């Protein structure tokens, strides 16, 4: 609903157009792009029909507005009149109508909870839902629940702190063995100190205003096997602290990860390098007082304000090159995040991103995504199917498989592009295939020049059945697929036809 990633924009001539038979993708009419919506919402037109008034909406009132020409939707307690947005919704009017006259929060969260609807639908805000006078016994409204340890969730973590003359150490006891440096994200900004620990699909947050000043840099350590995290802060002045600080919003709360709002920190653009004619390697530096490592196979959101509206889009961090990580150990506390980003001249976000100057700041979210590194455990044959920038999640997976997966026998990448000029890191891929016998790469072009004598066409049963040869009949296989949504959907169907099971396939989506 509301604003799906661009792979759902099916311009007939667009590089991202949908194939027939794919997921419900609805071609938007002329003049109904996201940019057109931003223009309309800034035009001063009364989009709520309430002439700027905000009202309290009862459930009965909300239910009445359930038609295409009069459609209200509630998201997280706020009600929006989305009637004028209907034609601009990239997922189509019918998808939006599924929430008409009702609370669409769950539906919204399922499809694209990361979308900053508050900014997108600012001018459609009708008001808040009226709070019900009586709360059923034993239940609290969602917003008031801070410690939500559910039966399915992990046992509740806890924290403690201690100090020396110069240091303050915050200790988080996660009670989970498989905690690592990817599991903890720490940000110290202005007066807020925030440490979010990801435990399976849950988020445990420590959020305090520290009682005294600390220095910019701090260290994060993991005591493996006991699930203990230590954050060591350096005091600015050597004095005894009476308390750690005062609690801020959602301090000491355990929530399902999906219910924890996005958190952004300002990262600085350090460099921008041409990789192909339209794809660039961006390097962003995290603030000194942030600890964040993006786990393999996960993405982050970048945020830009475009003509007054905040827009976020997902991007998948890579390494600075395919090969460098094979020479040097990964730094435990990496301060730089690299992205391979294709610039679409007619796109909304990437031209703006491309206009950023070195030294400019971009807000970067915490990581998201459902790839689990455990999927690589004991894998013998790894097949990677990538189209265009769908190559980006494969970079870290390839690296991790070749370095950290002892069981691995073969990694094969089938990389689909239009032309030779579009192939990202072609020479690095060829070099790696030459140097490491376990790795093979196959390029497939949909619009090759007459000189091309490699594979051509689109993803197809013939290409896949030839490519997907197991090293032994019963080898443990993982297939990863990523590219334009219709490519991925078609690929998954073909893989099922070739008898690969659901557990053997991982597809990357937002
Ligand atoms: P858009 O405005 O979305 O436009 C893209 C294309 O669609 C253009 O050709 C445009 O002309 C056309 N178009 C736009 N609006 C319409 C319309 N209304 N009707 C028809 N056609 C239209 N990309 C990367 O480069 N690197 C990554 O690492 C990366 N990681 C991703 C990770 C995830 C999980 C996902 C879901 C996507 C990822 N993407 C990545 C894609 C990225 O999020 C953006 O979708 C992409 O950068 C395009 O953004 P844009 O706003 O510039 O283009
Ligand atoms: P592109 O250059 O437009 O396409 C790459 C190749 O895929 C081309 O050969 C193209 O063939 C082919 N292709 C496109 N649509 C197809 C379809 N429906 N069926 C079969 N083949 C198809 O790709 P791009 O512009 O780089 O776009 C990459 C996509 O990957 C974006 O949609 C982006 O959102 C997505 N992505 C997702 C993630 C994630 O984690 N989910 C990460 C990175 C990127 P044609 O010449 O016929 O177009």
């Amino acid at each position: 609903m509301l604003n799906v990633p661009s792979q759902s924009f099916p311009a007939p001539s667009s590089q991202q157009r949908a194939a027939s038979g794919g997921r419900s993708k609805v071609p938007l009419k002329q003049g109904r792009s996201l940019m057109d919506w931003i223009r309309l919402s800034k035009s001063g037109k009364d989009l709520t029909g309430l002439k700027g008034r905000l009202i309290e909406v009862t459930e009965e009132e909300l239910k009445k507005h359930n038609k295409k020409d009069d459609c209200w939707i509630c998201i997280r307690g706020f009600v929006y009149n989305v009637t004028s947005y209907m034609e601009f919704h990239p997922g189509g009017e019918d998808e939006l109508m599924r929430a008409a006259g009702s609370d669409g929060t769950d539906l919204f969260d399922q499809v694209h909870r990361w979308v900053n609807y508050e900014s997108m639908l600012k001018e459609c805000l009708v008001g808040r839902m009226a709070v019900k006078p009586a709360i059923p016994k034993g239940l609290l409204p969602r917003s008031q629940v801070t410690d939500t340890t559910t039966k399915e969730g992990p046992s509740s973590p806890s924290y403690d702190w201690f100090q020396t003359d110069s240091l303050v150490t915050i200790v988080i006891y996660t009670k989970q063995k498989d905690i690592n440096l990817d599991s903890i994200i720490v940000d110290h900004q202005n007066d807020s100190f925030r440490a979010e620990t990801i435990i399976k699909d849950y988020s445990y947050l420590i959020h305090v205003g520290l009682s005294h000043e600390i220095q910019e840099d701090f260290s994060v350590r993991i005591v493996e096997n006991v699930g203990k995290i230590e954050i060591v802060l350096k005091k600015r002045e050597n004095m005894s602290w009476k308390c750690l600080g005062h609690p801020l919003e959602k301090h000491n709360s355990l929530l399902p990860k999906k219910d924890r709002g996005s958190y952004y920190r300002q990262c600085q653009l350090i460099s921008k390098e041409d990789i192909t004619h339209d794809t660039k390697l961006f390097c962003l530096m995290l603030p000194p007082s942030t600890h964040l490592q993006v786990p393999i196979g996960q993405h982050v959101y970048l945020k830009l304000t475009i003509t007054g509206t905040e827009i976020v889009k997902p991007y998948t961090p890579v390494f600075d090159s395919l090969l460098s990580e094979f020479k040097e150990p990964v730094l435990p506390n990496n301060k730089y995040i690299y992205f391979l980003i294709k610039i679409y001249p007619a796109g909304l976000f990437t031209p703006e991103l491309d206009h950023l100057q070195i030294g400019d700041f971009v807000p970067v979210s915490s990581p998201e995504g459902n790839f689990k590194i455990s999927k690589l455990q004991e894998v013998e044959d790894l097949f990677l199917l990538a189209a265009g920038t769908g190559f980006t999640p494969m970079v870290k997976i390839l690296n991790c498989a070749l370095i950290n997966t002892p069981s691995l026998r073969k990694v094969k990448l089938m990389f689909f592009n239009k032309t030779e000029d579009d192939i990202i890191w072609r020479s690095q891929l060829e070099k790696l295939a030459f140097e490491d016998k376990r790795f093979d790469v196959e390029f497939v072009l949909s619009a090759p020049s007459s000189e091309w004598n490699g594979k051509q066409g689109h993803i197809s049963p013939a290409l896949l059945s030839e490519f997907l040869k197991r090293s032994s009949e019963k080898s443990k296989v993982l297939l990863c697929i990523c590219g334009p949504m219709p490519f991925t959907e078609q690929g998954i169907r073909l893989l099922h036809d070739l008898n690969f099971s659901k557990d053997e396939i991982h597809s990357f989506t937002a």
Side-chain angles (χ1 to χ4, degrees):
M1 276 197 325
L2 306 182
N3 172 22
V4 292
S6 58
Q7 62 232 92
S8 296
F9 287 89
S13 59
S14 158
Q15 290 148 308
Q16 310 218 339
R17 84 281 183 280
S20 59
R23 209 174 58 166
S24 56
K25 289 181 188 64
V26 182
L28 297 172
K29 289 183 201 153
Q30 197 71 20
R32 295 293 182 271
S33 69
L34 185 50
M35 199 52 177
D36 294 316
W37 168 251
I38 293 172
R39 279 194 206 105
L40 173 66
S41 63
K42 301 271 177 259
S43 67
K45 196 174 165 200
D46 177 13
L47 300 182
T48 60
L50 294 168
K51 301 194 173 72
R53 260 185 321 128
L54 289 179
I55 59 170
E56 271 214 344
V57 184
T58 59
E59 262 182 42
E60 295 66 40
E61 184 62 30
L62 178 64
K63 275 187 201 151
K64 288 183 202 160
H65 303 271
N66 62 354
K67 295 167 218 67
K68 273 196 183 160
D69 59 357
D70 176 18
C71 180
W72 292 11
I73 288 177
C74 169
I75 307 175
R76 290 188 231 296
F78 288 92
V79 178
Y80 298 89
N81 181 342
V82 294
T83 317
S84 354
Y85 182 68
M86 203 58 79
E87 290 193 334
F88 294 82
H89 182 229
E93 298 184 9
D94 293 344
E95 187 67 13
L96 197 57
M97 281 304 291
R98 286 171 65 196
S102 66
D103 188 339
T105 309
D106 286 345
L107 199 54
F108 176 80
D109 283 349
Q110 277 165 30
V111 185
H112 38 57
R113 67 184 178 83
W114 49 272
V115 167
N116 48 343
Y117 63 92
E118 293 100 325
S119 178
M120 293 266 306
L121 296 179
K122 208 163 43 196
E123 303 306 325
C124 301
L125 184 66
V126 168
R128 267 179 186 275
M129 281 303 286
V131 180
K132 280 191 194 150
I135 296 163
K137 226 176 162 187
L139 279 178
L140 281 171
R142 241 163 111 180
S143 60
Q144 286 178 24
V145 179
T146 48
D147 275 332
T148 53
T149 323
T150 67
K151 274 186 196 139
E152 314 89 64
S155 55
S156 190
S158 58
Y159 79 99
D160 201 353
W161 71 285
F162 57 88
Q163 60 182 317
T164 63
D165 278 353
S166 56
L167 304 174
V168 167
T169 302
I170 300 174
V171 186
I172 301 167
Y173 303 95
T174 67
K175 301 177 192 159
Q176 300 288 321
K177 283 188 178 170
D178 53 354
I179 290 295
N180 56 44
L181 282 169
D182 293 356
S183 317
I184 169 91
I185 304 161
V186 186
D187 289 280
H188 182 223
Q189 285 194 44
N190 307 321
D191 291 333
S192 138
F193 180 86
R194 207 176 172 281
E196 183 180 356
T197 310
I198 306 301
I199 307 167
K200 301 201 162 73
D201 293 329
Y202 282 75
S203 148
Y204 174 64
L205 184 70
I206 290 175
H207 192 196
V208 289
L210 295 173
S211 62
H212 294 79
E213 286 191 18
I214 56 167
Q215 295 179 33
E216 251 184 1
D217 58 320
F218 50 76
S219 61
V220 180
R221 291 197 297 245
I222 303 291
V223 185
E224 275 171 25
N225 294 329
V226 291
K228 196 164 86 168
I229 300 169
E230 291 181 348
I231 307 164
V232 186
L233 313 175
K234 294 179 193 155
K235 292 179 181 175
R236 206 171 272 289
E237 284 174 47
N238 288 1
M239 60 184 326
S240 175
W241 291 19
K242 288 205 174 66
C243 64
L244 182 63
H246 57 277
L248 296 175
E249 204 190 345
K250 301 264 167 67
H251 170 59
N252 199 21
S253 64
L254 177 69
L255 293 177
K257 194 164 176 274
K258 64 179 178 49
D259 294 343
R260 180 82 67 205
S262 303
Y263 184 81
Y264 287 80
R265 68 280 301 146
Q266 294 284 354
C267 295
Q268 196 170 24
L269 179 63
I270 296 298
S271 62
K272 195 169 67 169
E273 183 196 334
D274 288 340
I275 299 296
T276 69
H277 63 102
D278 59 6
T279 300
K280 301 188 181 189
L281 182 71
F282 287 77
C283 173
L284 297 181
M285 186 174 68
L286 289 162
S289 44
T290 289
H291 165 92
L292 184 159
Q293 292 185 180
V294 183
I296 288 169
Q298 297 203 6
H299 52 270
V300 293
Y301 294 92
L302 304 186
K303 180 154 65 178
L304 291 176
T305 301
I306 300 174
T307 53
T309 299
E310 281 186 354
I311 304 289
V312 299
K313 293 259 170 154
Y315 294 95
T316 313
V318 295
F319 295 125
D320 61 340
S321 79
L322 196 62
L323 303 166
S324 68
E325 294 296 318
F326 291 86
K327 292 181 203 125
E328 291 161 28
V330 184
L331 293 171
N333 199 353
N334 209 333
K335 284 281 165 205
Y336 300 96
I337 310 187
Y338 294 90
F339 299 96
L340 281 164
I341 297 182
K342 178 164 171 174
I343 311 298
Y344 296 88
L348 178 68
F349 196 85
T350 49
E352 291 287 326
L353 200 62
D354 198 27
H355 285 143
L356 291 178
Q357 302 297 311
I358 303 302
D360 283 351
F361 286 88
V362 192
V364 176
S365 78
S366 299
E368 302 257 332
N370 56 8
F371 184 83
K372 299 255 170 9
I373 197 166
S374 56
K375 290 200 173 194
L376 284 172
Q377 252 168 28
E378 292 168 23
V379 160
E380 292 166 292
D381 293 321
L382 175 64
F383 297 108
L384 309 173
L385 301 170
T389 56
F391 170 64
T392 52
M394 309 305 175
V395 172
K396 285 189 177 181
I397 289 179
L398 178 59
N399 181 282
C400 177
L402 289 175
I403 294 178
N404 296 326
T405 312
S407 55
L408 191 83
R409 289 196 206 141
K410 199 83 210 154
V411 192
K412 288 174 84 177
L413 167 70
M414 187 168 258
F415 195 1
F416 297 82
N417 283 282
K418 288 181 197 299
T419 69
E420 282 181 82
D421 291 345
D422 295 316
I423 304 174
I424 297 168
W425 284 349
R426 176 178 179 180
S427 57
Q428 292 194 44
L429 285 164
E430 287 172 336
K431 188 162 182 268
L432 182 61
F434 180 76
E435 285 173 359
D436 194 321
K437 283 203 177 62
R438 296 170 301 167
F439 177 62
D440 277 341
V441 59
E442 185 99 67
F443 301 113
V444 183
L445 302 182
S446 52
S449 69
S450 53
E451 284 102 68
W452 176 251
N453 45 29
K455 295 240 164 3
Q456 19 186 310
H458 288 114
I459 191 164
S460 67
L463 276 177
L464 290 188
S465 50
E466 188 196 324
F467 178 71
L468 300 171
K469 294 259 172 2
R470 291 171 187 256
S471 58
S472 73
E473 205 187 316
K474 288 199 172 138
S475 65
K476 185 164 182 221
V477 173
L478 179 67
L479 292 130
C480 296
I481 181 160
C482 187
M485 191 59 100
F487 162 89
T488 306
E489 287 171 350
Q490 195 189 346
I492 294 170
R493 280 195 297 275
L494 296 176
L495 294 173
H496 287 314
D497 292 346
L498 290 167
N499 288 328
F500 288 99
S501 71
K502 228 173 132 196
D503 289 347
E504 291 174 321
I505 304 169
H506 184 89
S507 60
F508 291 88
T509 48

